[in-house]
Amino acid sequence: MSDASGFSTRAIHAGQPADASTGAVSVPIYQVSTYKQDGIGGFRGGYEYSRSGNPTRTALEECFAALEGGSRGFAFASGLAGQDTIVRSLLVPGDHVVVPSDAYGGTYRYFNQIARPQGIAHSIAKIADVDAVRAAIVPGRTKMVWVETPTNPLLGIADIESIAGVAHEAGAVVVVDNTFASAYLQNPLALGADLVSHSTTKYSGGHSDVVGGIVVTGQQIAVPGFEDAGDRVAFNQKSIGGIAGPFDAWLTLRGLKTLAVRMERHCDNAEKVVDFLTGHDGVSHVYYPGLPSHQNHDVAARQMKRFGGMVSFRLTKGEDAAVKACSAVQLWTLGESLGGVESLIEHPARMTHASVAGTELEVPADLIRLSVGIEDIDDLIEDLREALDIHA
Ligand SMILES: *Cc1c(COP(=O)(O)O)cnc(C)c1O
C-alpha cells in the first residue's frame, strides 16, 4: 500500500499487514507485558516490554500516522494523557501557551489546574480570530498555540493555516486538537500544524466503547536534547506511561476501519438536523460550520472535507426549556461525550461545561449540544420534533 492510497485504504491496511505467523487478517490483540529475548538484548521486532511498545498499539500508531499524513503516531490511555505528554515534551516552566476561549473543558482544566501550577502560563484567546491569537502571543515566551477546530460546544472555526503562520513567526509550535473533525474531515499537518492530538474516544473509536488518545507528529522540529519532537514524545510516552492497552488499541483500530463511511453518514444526518432546527420557531440560534451564515464558514469549507456531526442550538424560551427538552427526547440519549454511532443530546452549561461556569469559557445557559449519530434520520428528527414541540 502506498502513501498515495485513499483514506479508507489506509484506514483498513496501514500498519496492519496480515499476521506473519498465521495470516490472521485482523491484527491480533497482543495481551502481553513482556517478550522473550533471543539472548540478552535480542529483541524480536524491537519489543522488550509493553509500556515502551506493543504490536497491537504499534498497528494503531502506524495507521493513525498514515491517516493524518504525519511521521509518527503515539497511542495513549485517553485524549488528556496524550495532551499531557505533548505539553511535557515541548514546554518547560516559564513557557506560555495560547489556549482557545471555547476549548474542551478538560483541556482548559488541564492548562489551568495542572500546567499552570507547574509554571506553564497561558492566555485565553478567541481562536476564530487570528488577530486575537496574534495579540495573545507573548514575544519570546509563547512556545505553543493550542488550537481546537471545530470548537466545543459552539462549533467555532479556527483558520489553521493563518494561525500556523502567526505562531511560527513568533517561534511557537501549533498543536491542533482534531477530535471534532476526525482525521477523515481535516488534516491539520497539511495546513501547517506541527502536532495533532485526538481524543479517539470520540469519532475515531466511534462506538462509545473505549477511551483513548492519539498524538501524531509532523515535520521534524528540534526540542532541547532531542533532534525531533517525535523522539521526545516517544521518550515521554514510555517514561510517563500513559499508554493505550492492547485491547483498547484494538477497539480503536477496529473503529478506524469504518471512519470514512461513518463520517459521511454523520454529516448527512447533521445537515438534515440543521435544516429542521433552522426551520423551527422555538430555536433562536443554530451553530453549524456548514451554514453559510456561520462566522467562519468559508474557512471551514476550505480546510474541512465536510462539516461534521456536531450541532448546537439555543432556545428562545431559555434555560428551563433547554433543560426540559434534553430530558423529553426518547431516541436521543442524554449523555456526555460524542462521536459514537448513537445520537446524544446534552446541556453543556450543566454537564460537559459545568466546570467552566463563571470563567471566560462559560457557555450560554439556553444551549443544547447534539452529537448526531448514524441512525435513520427520520427517526432522529421525529423524536426531536416531539420534544421541541412541547418545550421550545
Ligand atoms: C473528549 C475530548 C478530549 C479529552 O479526551 P479524553 O479521551 O476524554 O481524555 C479532548 N478534546 C476534545 C475536543 C474532546 O472532545
Side-chain angles (χ1 to χ4, degrees):
M1 196 205 53
S2 79
D3 289 350
S5 300
F7 186 90
S8 287
T9 305
R10 281 176 279 147
I12 294 166
H13 296 289
Q16 305 161 79
D19 183 57
S21 59
T22 64
V25 296
S26 163
V27 173
I29 301 167
Y30 285 86
Q31 194 67 43
V32 66
S33 61
T34 193
Y35 306 83
K36 175 181 162 71
Q37 302 184 12
D38 297 319
I40 294 170
F43 307 137
R44 299 186 192 177
Y47 293 105
E48 173 187 12
Y49 181 63
S50 280
R51 175 158 35 73
S52 41
N54 174 284
T56 315
R57 195 173 94 219
T58 303
L60 172 62
E61 293 176 332
E62 288 183 0
C63 182
F64 228 109
L67 294 182
E68 282 289 8
S71 51
R72 294 168 74 178
F74 303 91
F76 293 90
S78 70
L80 286 173
Q83 287 185 26
D84 178 53
T85 302
I86 291 176
V87 169
R88 292 209 245 179
S89 295
L90 300 183
L91 302 177
V92 294
D95 288 347
H96 174 266
V97 191
V98 176
V99 177
S101 60
D102 56 349
Y104 174 69
T107 297
Y108 175 71
R109 182 177 57 203
Y110 174 82
F111 281 111
N112 198 35
Q113 290 179 260
I114 304 290
R116 193 165 60 123
Q118 296 184 13
I120 294 166
H122 66 267
S123 301
I124 303 287
K126 280 206 163 40
I127 206 83
D129 175 357
V130 182
D131 291 331
V133 174
R134 189 184 285 110
I137 289 176
V138 184
R141 273 194 70 203
T142 302
K143 297 291 160 56
M144 181 181 286
V145 176
W146 192 274
V147 177
E148 218 181 291
T149 181
T151 60
N152 175 19
L154 293 172
L155 286 318
I157 296 291
D159 182 336
I160 298 171
E161 204 164 3
S162 302
I163 290 174
V166 166
H168 290 159
E169 212 169 284
V173 297
V174 175
V175 182
V176 176
D177 180 337
N178 204 23
T179 300
F180 265 46
S182 85
Y184 178 66
L185 295 180
Q186 176 171 279
N187 294 126
L189 299 175
L191 298 163
D194 301 289
L195 286 94
V196 176
S197 173
H198 283 265
S199 167
T200 55
T201 313
K202 317 295 167 53
Y203 288 106
S204 307
H207 296 74
S208 306
D209 53 11
V210 61
V211 172
I214 280 280
V215 172
V216 178
T217 56
Q219 287 185 12
Q220 185 173 344
I221 37 170
V223 294
F226 291 81
E227 273 175 28
D228 180 30
D231 297 332
R232 177 80 216 205
V233 173
F235 178 81
N236 280 18
Q237 184 193 38
K238 90 170 172 200
S239 303
I240 300 170
I243 51 161
F247 186 50
D248 287 1
W250 185 88
L251 281 170
T252 306
L253 199 55
R254 181 188 177 138
L256 285 181
K257 292 174 202 279
T258 55
L259 181 61
V261 288
R262 284 188 287 108
M263 289 314 296
E264 289 290 349
R265 178 69 170 254
H266 282 295
C267 293
D268 289 345
N269 281 358
E271 286 169 11
K272 289 180 184 137
V273 166
V274 166
D275 282 348
F276 162 71
L277 291 172
T278 49
H280 196 286
D281 288 345
V283 174
S284 62
H285 291 75
V286 179
Y287 299 89
Y288 187 64
L291 286 170
S293 58
H294 186 282
Q295 192 195 359
N296 277 349
H297 170 69
D298 55 329
V299 178
R302 207 164 53 231
Q303 71 188 15
M304 299 176 76
K305 191 174 285 165
R306 292 184 68 183
F307 302 102
M310 299 300 296
V311 179
S312 292
F313 64 102
R314 294 168 70 176
L315 296 183
T316 314
K317 283 191 185 161
E319 177 172 10
D320 194 43
V323 168
K324 285 187 176 139
C326 286
S327 299
V329 285
Q330 306 281 326
L331 175 59
W332 294 74
T333 301
L334 178 64
E336 301 194 356
S337 197
L338 60 113
V341 291
E342 61 291 292
S343 293
L344 300 178
I345 189 167
E346 69 123 355
H347 184 256
R350 293 197 188 178
M351 294 171 64
T352 48
H353 290 65
S355 69
V356 296
T359 73
E360 291 160 272
L361 282 81
E362 190 172 77
V363 298
D366 56 1
L367 188 77
I368 294 175
R369 189 189 78 178
L370 303 176
S371 170
V372 183
I374 65 171
E375 300 96 333
D376 290 288
I377 186 61
D378 293 345
D379 297 332
L380 292 175
I381 288 180
E382 202 39 47
D383 191 39
L384 267 186
R385 186 194 314 280
E386 279 171 25
L388 294 186
D389 284 353
I390 302 169
H391 297 290

